[in-house]
Amino acid sequence: MTEQRATVGWLQGVLAVTEEQAGVLLDLLEDQGVVGPANDLGGRSVLWATE
């Protein structure tokens, strides 16, 4: 949330996970309302803000 980024590639680099694992994680985060749906470039809006 602090980075305001939500892409498969970014998660892969930060968490050292596979592309599939990063995709599943983003889908779970979307289900929980943390990120929005994927846009046409694969990025997602981060819906939770840090304070």
Side-chain angles (χ1 to χ4, degrees):
M1 290 184 294
T2 59
E3 295 292 326
Q4 291 295 297
R5 296 185 193 181
T7 64
V8 169
W10 185 80
L11 281 177
Q12 281 183 274
V14 171
L15 300 177
V17 296
T18 67
E19 183 177 354
E20 182 180 350
Q21 290 169 323
V24 168
L25 179 56
L26 283 175
D27 289 341
L28 291 171
L29 290 171
E30 182 180 353
D31 291 344
Q32 295 297 314
V34 177
V35 299
N39 63 26
D40 51 340
L41 298 176
R44 296 170 185 253
S45 298
V46 176
L47 303 176
W48 282 12
T50 58
E51 298 175 340

